[in-house]
Coordinates of all heavy atoms in Angstrom, one line a residue:
Chain A
V227 N 120.2 113.6 85.0 CA 120.7 113.0 83.7 C 122.0 113.5 83.3 O 122.9 112.7 83.0 CB 119.6 113.1 82.7 CG1 120.1 112.6 81.3 CG2 118.3 112.3 83.0
L228 N 122.2 114.8 83.4 CA 123.4 115.4 82.8 C 124.6 115.0 83.7 O 125.7 114.6 83.1 CB 123.3 116.9 82.8 CG 122.1 117.5 82.0 CD1 122.1 119.0 81.9 CD2 122.1 117.0 80.6
R229 N 124.4 115.0 85.0 CA 125.6 114.7 85.8 C 125.9 113.1 85.7 O 127.1 112.8 85.5 CB 125.3 115.0 87.3 CG 125.4 116.4 87.6 CD 125.4 116.6 89.3 NE 124.0 116.4 89.6 CZ 122.9 117.1 89.6 NH1 123.2 118.4 88.9 NH2 121.7 117.0 89.9
R230 N 125.0 112.3 85.6 CA 125.1 110.9 85.5 C 125.8 110.5 84.0 O 126.5 109.6 83.8 CB 123.9 110.1 85.7 CG 123.3 110.2 87.0 CD 124.0 109.4 88.1 NE 123.6 107.9 87.9 CZ 123.9 107.0 88.8 NH1 124.4 107.3 90.0 NH2 123.6 105.8 88.7
S231 N 125.4 111.4 83.1 CA 125.9 111.1 81.7 C 127.3 111.8 81.4 O 127.8 111.5 80.3 CB 124.9 111.4 80.7 OG 123.7 110.8 80.9
G232 N 127.6 112.9 82.3 CA 128.8 113.5 82.0 C 128.6 114.5 80.9 O 129.7 114.6 80.1
V233 N 127.6 115.1 80.8 CA 127.3 116.0 79.6 C 126.5 117.4 80.2 O 126.3 117.4 81.4 CB 126.4 115.3 78.5 CG1 127.1 114.1 77.9 CG2 125.1 114.9 79.1
G234 N 126.3 118.2 79.2 CA 125.4 119.4 79.6 C 124.3 119.4 78.6 O 124.0 118.6 77.8
A235 N 123.5 120.5 78.7 CA 122.3 120.7 77.7 C 122.0 122.1 77.6 O 122.2 123.0 78.4 CB 121.2 119.9 78.2
R236 N 121.4 122.4 76.4 CA 120.7 123.7 76.0 C 119.3 123.5 76.0 O 118.9 122.6 75.3 CB 121.3 124.3 74.8 CG 120.7 125.5 74.4 CD 121.4 126.2 73.1 NE 122.9 126.3 73.4 CZ 123.4 127.4 73.8 NH1 122.7 128.6 73.9 NH2 124.6 127.6 74.0
I237 N 118.6 124.1 76.7 CA 117.0 124.0 76.8 C 116.3 125.2 76.3 O 116.7 126.3 76.7 CB 116.6 123.5 78.2 CG1 117.2 122.2 78.6 CG2 115.0 123.4 78.2 CD1 116.7 121.1 77.7
D238 N 115.5 125.1 75.4 CA 114.5 126.2 75.0 C 113.3 126.3 75.9 O 112.4 125.5 75.8 CB 114.1 126.1 73.5 CG 113.2 127.2 73.0 OD1 112.8 128.1 73.8 OD2 112.7 127.0 71.8
A239 N 113.4 127.2 76.9 CA 112.2 127.4 77.9 C 110.9 127.6 77.2 O 109.9 127.1 77.7 CB 112.5 128.5 78.8
D240 N 111.0 128.2 76.1 CA 109.6 128.5 75.4 C 109.0 127.3 74.6 O 107.9 127.3 74.2 CB 109.7 129.7 74.6 CG 110.0 131.0 75.3 OD1 109.5 131.1 76.4 OD2 110.8 132.0 74.8
A241 N 109.9 126.3 74.4 CA 109.5 125.1 73.7 C 108.8 124.1 74.7 O 108.2 123.1 74.1 CB 110.7 124.4 72.9
V242 N 109.0 124.3 76.0 CA 108.4 123.3 77.0 C 106.9 123.4 76.9 O 106.4 124.5 77.0 CB 109.0 123.6 78.3 CG1 108.4 122.6 79.4 CG2 110.5 123.6 78.5
P243 N 106.2 122.3 76.5 CA 104.8 122.4 76.4 C 104.0 122.6 77.7 O 104.4 122.1 78.7 CB 104.6 120.8 75.9 CG 105.7 120.0 76.4 CD 106.8 120.9 76.4
R244 N 103.0 123.3 77.5 CA 102.2 123.7 78.7 C 100.7 123.8 78.3 O 100.5 124.0 77.1 CB 102.7 125.0 79.3 CG 102.5 126.3 78.3 CD 103.5 127.4 78.5 NE 104.8 126.9 78.1 CZ 105.8 127.6 78.3 NH1 105.9 128.7 78.9 NH2 107.1 127.1 77.9
S245 N 99.9 123.7 79.2 CA 98.4 123.8 78.9 C 98.0 125.2 78.6 O 98.7 126.2 78.8 CB 97.6 123.4 80.2 OG 97.7 124.3 81.2
A246 N 96.9 125.3 77.9 CA 96.3 126.6 77.6 C 96.1 127.4 78.9 O 96.3 128.7 78.9 CB 95.0 126.5 76.8
R247 N 95.6 126.7 79.9 CA 95.4 127.4 81.2 C 96.6 128.1 81.6 O 96.7 129.2 82.2 CB 94.8 126.4 82.2 CG 93.4 125.9 81.9 CD 93.1 124.8 83.0 NE 94.0 123.7 83.0 CZ 93.7 122.5 82.6 NH1 92.5 122.2 82.3 NH2 94.6 121.5 82.7
L248 N 97.7 127.3 81.6 CA 99.0 127.9 82.3 C 99.6 129.0 81.2 O 100.0 130.0 81.6 CB 100.0 126.8 82.3 CG 101.5 127.2 82.8 CD1 101.3 128.0 84.1 CD2 102.2 125.9 83.0
A249 N 99.4 128.7 79.9 CA 99.8 129.7 78.9 C 99.2 131.0 79.0 O 99.6 132.0 78.5 CB 99.7 129.1 77.5
A250 N 98.0 131.0 79.6 CA 97.2 132.3 79.8 C 97.8 133.2 81.0 O 97.3 134.2 81.2 CB 95.7 132.1 80.0
R251 N 98.7 132.5 81.7 CA 99.3 133.3 83.0 C 100.4 134.1 82.6 O 101.0 133.8 81.4 CB 99.7 132.2 83.9 CG 98.6 131.3 84.5 CD 97.9 132.0 85.5 NE 96.5 131.4 85.6 CZ 95.4 131.9 86.4 NH1 95.7 132.8 87.3 NH2 94.3 131.4 86.5
P252 N 100.9 135.1 83.4 CA 102.2 135.8 83.0 C 103.3 134.9 82.8 O 103.5 133.7 83.4 CB 102.4 136.6 84.3 CG 101.0 136.7 85.0 CD 100.3 135.4 84.7
L253 N 104.3 135.3 81.9 CA 105.4 134.4 81.5 C 106.3 134.0 82.7 O 106.8 132.9 82.7 CB 106.2 135.3 80.5 CG 107.4 134.5 79.8 CD1 106.8 133.2 79.0 CD2 108.2 135.3 78.8

Side-chain angles (χ1 to χ4, degrees):
Chain A
V227 169
L228 302 184
R229 278 188 293 279
R230 300 279 289 194
S231 298
V233 295
R236 175 175 305 263
I237 298 297
D238 175 359
D240 294 328
V242 178
R244 67 207 68 184
S245 69
R247 291 177 299 244
L248 178 54
R251 302 273 155 186
L253 188 60

